Amino acid sequence: MPGVAFVAHCLLNQNSKCSGGARCPGVYAPLVAALRERGWQIQQMPCPELAFTGLNRFWAVREQLDTSAYRRHCRRLAKGVAGAIEVHVRAGEDVVLIGLEGSPSMGVHITSSDPERGGRPEWPDGADELSPGSGIFIDELSAELAERGVEMPRATGITHQLPDHHGPGELESIVAILEG
Amino acid sequence: MDAGDARGYRVALIADELVNPAARGIDGLAALESAGWGAIQLPSGDYPDEVAAPLLDLVAEQTEEFTRHGYTVAVIGRRAGLDEALAAYGVSGLPSIEPRSTAALTRFLAQTAGSDPERPL
């Protein structure tokens, strides 16, 4: 039975991306179509980076953002999202989470990592920063839900910013999550 | 802005019932997608106040970042508490509509968008 999909902010609002990251003017239509066709409701999560480092932020890896202050910020956002997730879970609705693979904040299975990155923002093209793991907001959301006694929803991530992005594969992943 | 960046510089704060429309309701998200706008979804009216209030605060916080950078921002639909949340971040007077039809919403988006979506920040 269809439920509620909590989606990363940028998947409905590409204006929140840092410069160079927007794949379309606003709404990432393939995700919305996949959810709508299967009867799922949509709930948008906030963008952790937008309100913390702003629209003019540089691309960043996880280590650059992983400070106590950023984690407190993410936890504040996570409390809001977890409260909404809890409403749906307590009502017996199915909930899934769709993040953004490769993101230092919203990655579900793939984040960005480079312990050496810092200083003047220049690095070789093709720098290998993608690595297994979740983003900082996803970590904090998982912790916040655990404190509330709410199970972390099934989760996957949109892959459109990964170099090996494959549209049909991305859709398969979404459908697999929706179908449990 | 990076030349390869496809953003539209237009953001709509949009009521939940227009993101998740009832059968035969207005599909606001589809209208935004067609017109090249991004969406900031407002908390569902079904959420209790203690759940909705922090979400409205987050919406307002993010909205301020867009208005401060000169993005076109508008409100589509109604959400109790939004005006107060925006005011707390110094945001007021956004163009708004409570659309009675998809056509009316589409016209509003076209009129509000302006003519230069590629302006620099």
Side-chain angles (χ1 to χ4, degrees), chain A residues 16-134:
Chain A
S16 64
K17 306 284 276 190
C18 58
S19 176
R23 298 296 197 271
C24 59
V27 179
Y28 185 57
L31 172 64
V32 173
L35 294 172
R36 288 270 179 79
E37 286 165 9
R38 291 161 182 81
W40 281 70
Q41 300 276 302
I42 296 170
Q43 290 296 325
Q44 182 186 36
M45 294 185 282
C47 172
E49 295 169 27
L50 176 63
F52 195 82
T53 49
L55 280 164
N56 285 359
R57 65 191 183 276
F58 288 113
W59 294 70
V61 294
R62 187 184 156 104
E63 288 82 356
Q64 291 170 297
L65 290 171
D66 199 357
T67 64
S68 295
Y70 188 64
R71 283 199 174 267
R72 280 197 300 274
H73 168 73
C74 284
R75 181 57 76 101
R76 173 176 155 251
L77 272 57
K79 285 180 185 294
V81 174
I85 289 174
E86 190 172 6
V87 167
H88 293 285
V89 169
R90 303 284 184 220
E93 297 174 287
D94 195 10
V95 174
V96 300
L97 190 152
I98 299 177
L100 185 74
E101 301 299 15
S103 165
S105 301
M106 297 303 298
V108 174
H109 302 298
I110 301 170
T111 188
S112 296
S113 175
D114 181 354
E116 302 301 319
R117 190 165 297 184
R120 185 186 293 270
E122 55 188 0
W123 47 85
D125 281 347
D128 187 14
E129 63 196 34
L130 298 174
S131 61
S134 56

Side-chain angles (χ1 to χ4, degrees), chain A residues 4 6 9 12-29 32 36 40-48 50-51 53-56 59 73 76-81 83-85 87-88, chain B residues 1-11 16 18-21 27-30 32-33 35-44 46-48 51 54-55 57-58 61-63 65-69 71 89 121:
Chain A
V4 183
F6 281 76
H9 182 96
L12 300 187
N13 183 20
Q14 291 279 293
N15 296 288
S16 64
K17 306 284 276 190
C18 58
S19 176
R23 298 296 197 271
C24 59
V27 179
Y28 185 57
V32 173
R36 288 270 179 79
W40 281 70
Q41 300 276 302
I42 296 170
Q43 290 296 325
Q44 182 186 36
M45 294 185 282
C47 172
L50 176 63
T53 49
L55 280 164
N56 285 359
W59 294 70
H73 168 73
R76 173 176 155 251
L77 272 57
K79 285 180 185 294
V81 174
I85 289 174
V87 167
H88 293 285
Chain B
M1 188 57 61
D2 187 299
D5 191 277
R7 77 189 58 211
Y9 297 97
R10 296 159 181 156
V11 181
D16 176 74
L18 297 168
V19 174
N20 297 302
D27 187 343
L29 206 51
L32 293 180
E33 196 273 329
W37 288 60
I40 298 180
Q41 184 178 4
L42 299 171
S44 166
D46 293 335
Y47 289 157
V51 171
L55 295 174
D57 181 67
L58 298 176
E61 185 176 57
Q62 297 182 88
T63 300
E65 180 68 5
F66 287 112
T67 58
R68 192 163 56 82
H69 284 271
Y71 283 56
Y89 287 86
L121 293 177

Side-chain angles (χ1 to χ4, degrees), chain B residues 53-117:
Chain B
L55 295 174
L56 279 170
D57 181 67
L58 298 176
V59 164
E61 185 176 57
Q62 297 182 88
T63 300
E64 188 272 341
E65 180 68 5
F66 287 112
T67 58
R68 192 163 56 82
H69 284 271
Y71 283 56
T72 298
V73 180
V75 180
I76 300 174
R78 177 181 291 189
R79 206 324 168 170
L82 176 63
D83 289 347
E84 294 81 358
L86 290 172
Y89 287 86
V91 178
S92 62
L94 298 176
S96 64
I97 184 175
E98 292 179 39
R100 295 187 174 188
S101 68
T102 300
L105 175 55
T106 300
R107 279 195 302 274
F108 170 81
L109 293 173
Q111 291 165 357
T112 309
S115 58
D116 184 15

